[in-house]
Amino acid sequence: RAFERVEPSPPVEPVAPNQGLRMSRYAVEWDRIPDARSALRVVDETTASQVALPAAPGERVALCFRGFLDVPADDLYRFALRSDDGSRLWIDGQLVVDNDGLHAAVEQTGQRALGQGRHPIEVWWFNATGGVDLQLRWARPGEAFDAVPARALRH
């Protein structure tokens, strides 16, 4: 095996006094998450304690979870993003997990070296029609994946 040493992405020092993430809902007609999303009109906005779907999220809908991930220590973090339909995870503005497109529930993984502290996080999910699923889990090397705890999410 070849190993490469990577420096952890440094944390930011945001003013993020609240637990959870901001969750915005959009009405969409997607089969993939577009790169250009800034012109979308928010239908409603609330706070979510975790990256998870609210009850009956609906069809032809997209959700965006935004805030900060509070990382407990410098390390290489692995992320698992499960969704039905598409989803994508960005940390520090970098795409970490791409689980986009129309599909049944499937999980994709990615990893990023992160420094202790807070890092901007953004998760997009959409549902065209049919079943729905969204789960975000994380793990450090050698550990099993577990749900990202609510205490690690701030906005």
Side-chain angles (χ1 to χ4, degrees):
R1 293 186 180 188
F3 294 93
E4 178 183 341
R5 178 172 173 79
V6 295
E7 290 299 318
S9 177
V12 296
E13 295 184 26
V15 176
N18 303 308
Q19 286 193 319
L21 300 172
R22 296 301 302 158
M23 183 181 76
S24 303
R25 179 186 306 266
Y26 304 87
V28 299
E29 294 284 340
W30 291 349
D31 59 6
R32 297 195 70 73
I33 298 169
D35 291 333
R37 297 178 304 278
S38 61
L40 293 173
R41 189 177 68 76
V42 175
V43 173
D44 64 65
E45 196 167 63
T46 188
T47 300
S49 61
Q50 292 185 294
V51 176
L53 296 177
E59 296 189 341
R60 296 174 181 79
V61 64
L63 299 177
C64 178
F65 300 82
R66 286 186 187 98
F68 298 91
L69 178 66
D70 200 355
V71 173
D74 292 3
D75 213 333
L76 178 67
Y77 289 84
R78 298 178 300 135
F79 295 89
L81 186 60
R82 178 181 172 89
S83 66
D84 175 356
D85 285 304
S87 59
R88 295 175 102 185
L89 164 68
W90 288 266
I91 299 174
D92 295 324
Q94 299 295 311
L95 183 62
V96 176
V97 180
D98 189 349
N99 194 6
D100 203 4
L102 297 172
H103 53 75
V106 66
E107 185 172 81
Q108 298 291 335
T109 62
Q111 60 188 19
R112 184 155 174 86
L114 299 172
Q116 179 181 4
R118 295 182 181 163
H119 296 264
I121 184 173
E122 187 172 314
V123 177
W124 279 85
W125 167 86
F126 79 95
N127 181 47
T129 60
V132 295
D133 191 8
L134 179 63
Q135 299 172 19
L136 177 62
R137 302 180 306 144
W138 68 348
R140 291 164 84 170
E143 295 180 356
F145 281 105
D146 198 9
V148 175
R151 70 179 177 277
L153 301 171
R154 311 289 297 175
H155 75 279

